[in-house]
């Protein structure tokens, strides 16, 4: 099965969502939420992430997570991750309860493509205060892709994780998961990177981007937004419409894509030092906002 076939399938079976110029979306991916151990890359940025997500909740944004939200290669179960970052999940639950949470699975949380697994592990959590199982993400659905379709212009945006263009991490993800758990997690603690990850293998990253761009070109320059490689990408109008929201495990920062007022922007949240010496979390605009309508199909 080629990357083209895998991307074709993800697009064909994607969940369809209508949006318009009044709609607001924040897109993050590759959070890799772990168990708060030394190998948990998310732990360093969790306060930044929580602050940013709380901002988007209060501002009325929908949250789209484009895969690899939970690190289920290094960790055996969701339960340990949940209790390590409970405040994050309770905030995500607020989005879910208002139908503002849209989830995509990636290669590191590919187990979520099984609805029975999702229902068993994500529907409830045990609350030691009450002694009961309490509602968490009851009824949540994970998708391989999501298509946002503008209700007036009919323009489409295809959202997926992007590992469809990475044959090893799509077809042999169970082998990669085994290697990460047995070998690379302990080595990661010592600072040795996993060579199977495209985020740490530049040659493989370029190949994945090239395959994805070829698919976009073959599909009339369909706006396609992915994660997976952890490298933010924001094309100019007229270029191949390949977007990447980056990741939430950059050193001391997270990146994402905002869709608001019919435009798209690449943003970064990071900790800065104010003039009075206090630390604070702030948002920075990296690219855009650029009108979605400027990205014409070929």
């Amino acid at each position: 099965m080629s990357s083209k076939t895998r991307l074709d399938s993800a697009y064909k079976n994607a969940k369809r969502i209508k949006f318009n110029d009044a709609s607001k979306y924040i897109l993050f991916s590759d959070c890799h939420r772990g168990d708060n151990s030394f190998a948990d890359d998310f732990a360093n940025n969790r306060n930044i992430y929580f602050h940013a997500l709380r901002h988007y909740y209060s501002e009325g944004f929908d949250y789209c997570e484009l895969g690899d939200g939970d690190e289920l290669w290094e960790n055996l179960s969701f339960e340990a991750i949940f209790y390590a970052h409970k405040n994050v999940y309770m905030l995500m639950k607020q989005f879910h309860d208002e139908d503002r949470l849209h989830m995509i699975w990636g290669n590191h949380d590919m187990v979520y493509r099984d609805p029975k697994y999702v229902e068993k592990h994500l529907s409830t959590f045990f609350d030691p205060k009450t002694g009961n199982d309490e509602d968490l993400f009851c009824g949540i659905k994970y998708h391989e892709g999501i298509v946002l379709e503008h209700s007036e212009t009919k323009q489409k945006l295809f959202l997926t994780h992007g590992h469809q263009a990475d044959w090893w991490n799509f077809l042999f993800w169970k082998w990669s998961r085994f290697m990460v758990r047995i070998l690379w997690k302990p080595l990661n603690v010592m600072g040795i990177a996993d060579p199977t990850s495209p985020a740490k293998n530049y040659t493989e990253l370029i190949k994945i981007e090239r395959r994805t761009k070829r698919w976009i070109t073959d599909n009339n320059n369909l706006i396609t937004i992915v994660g997976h490689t952890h490298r933010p990408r924001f094309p100019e109008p007229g270029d191949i419409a390949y977007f990447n929201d980056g990741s939430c495990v950059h050193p001391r920062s997270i990146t994402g894509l905002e869709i608001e007022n019919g435009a798209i922007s690449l943003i970064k949240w990071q900790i800065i030092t104010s003039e009075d010496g206090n630390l604070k979390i702030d948002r920075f605009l990296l690219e855009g906002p650029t009108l979605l309508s400027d990205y014409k199909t070929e």
Side-chain angles (χ1 to χ4, degrees):
M1 184 186 294
S2 67
S3 58
K4 177 185 183 304
T5 303
R6 292 189 292 269
L7 285 165
D8 284 344
S9 176
Y11 180 70
K12 177 182 177 181
N13 298 311
K15 177 184 179 181
R16 263 60 181 176
I17 300 175
K18 296 285 187 181
F19 81 108
N20 55 42
D21 288 353
S23 303
K24 297 193 285 187
Y25 290 91
I26 174 61
L27 281 55
F28 287 133
S29 74
D30 298 276
C31 302
H32 294 278
R33 292 180 291 264
D35 60 358
N36 204 30
S37 67
F38 285 110
D40 183 0
D41 293 330
F42 175 75
N44 293 327
N45 288 339
R46 63 179 172 182
N47 290 329
I48 301 175
Y49 175 86
F50 181 79
H51 176 80
L53 204 58
R54 186 167 55 185
H55 162 83
Y56 291 118
Y57 176 78
S58 64
E59 292 297 318
F61 281 70
D62 280 30
Y63 176 36
C64 291
E65 190 165 276
L66 308 188
D68 284 5
D70 297 333
E71 179 48 73
L72 291 171
W73 280 11
E74 293 180 357
N75 302 282
L76 295 175
S77 70
F78 170 73
E79 184 178 15
I81 301 172
F82 171 78
Y83 288 110
H85 305 295
K86 184 177 178 180
N87 65 327
V88 167
Y89 289 104
M90 298 313 292
L91 178 55
M92 292 173 65
K93 170 178 164 53
Q94 292 180 256
F95 280 93
H96 175 64
D97 289 346
E98 298 177 18
D99 295 321
R100 294 163 54 192
L101 182 66
H102 313 283
M103 303 297 283
I104 290 172
W105 46 263
N107 52 306
H108 280 253
D109 51 13
M110 199 179 284
V111 290
Y112 290 157
R113 66 181 177 179
D114 181 358
K116 293 181 179 178
Y117 184 98
V118 172
E119 182 180 6
K120 178 180 178 180
H121 294 278
L122 302 186
S123 294
T124 62
F125 71 97
F126 178 75
D127 189 341
K129 293 181 180 178
T130 65
N132 298 317
D133 286 335
E134 304 291 345
D135 174 68
L136 184 58
F137 297 126
C138 188
I140 195 170
K141 305 292 184 185
Y142 274 74
H143 308 276
E144 185 176 1
I146 292 173
V147 173
L148 300 179
E149 182 177 348
H150 199 284
S151 57
E152 297 174 7
T153 67
K154 307 304 178 184
Q155 186 177 31
K156 295 181 177 66
L157 284 66
F158 175 42
L159 283 52
T160 193
H161 181 58
H163 65 303
Q164 293 85 354
D166 182 353
W167 66 274
W168 177 266
N169 279 305
F170 190 95
L171 299 176
F172 300 104
W173 67 273
K174 288 186 178 180
W175 171 251
S176 293
R177 181 179 65 180
F178 172 78
M179 292 298 293
V180 165
R181 286 179 179 175
I182 301 303
L183 180 61
W184 296 114
K185 181 176 180 178
L187 291 178
N188 188 32
V189 174
M190 295 183 286
I192 300 175
D194 172 11
T196 67
S197 170
K200 299 169 183 172
N201 185 329
Y202 186 75
T203 301
E204 195 60 32
L205 181 153
I206 295 300
K207 291 179 181 178
I208 292 167
E209 289 188 350
R210 187 183 300 124
R211 295 181 196 121
T212 307
K213 288 180 178 179
R214 187 183 304 124
W215 184 85
I216 294 170
T217 300
D218 290 343
N219 285 270
N220 298 317
N221 206 31
L222 173 69
I223 292 178
T224 301
I225 305 174
V226 299
H228 188 55
T229 66
H230 296 198
R231 182 162 85 148
R233 309 301 291 165
F234 194 93
E236 293 292 329
D239 293 341
I240 297 174
Y242 168 78
F243 290 83
N244 193 307
D245 62 5
S247 81
C248 293
V249 291
H250 298 296
R252 298 172 297 281
S253 69
I254 67 174
T255 57
L257 289 164
E258 295 176 356
I259 297 173
E260 185 178 13
N261 298 321
I264 187 167
S265 304
L266 176 66
I267 51 87
K268 175 172 73 171
W269 291 80
Q270 67 180 48
I271 296 176
I272 64 169
T273 306
S274 62
E275 291 184 1
D276 57 7
N278 291 320
L279 298 178
K280 69 173 184 176
I281 300 169
D282 215 343
R283 170 190 172 279
F284 295 88
L285 180 66
L286 300 180
E287 300 281 354
T290 304
L291 290 175
L292 292 168
S293 59
D294 288 347
Y295 295 93
K296 306 293 185 182
T297 56
E298 294 179 349

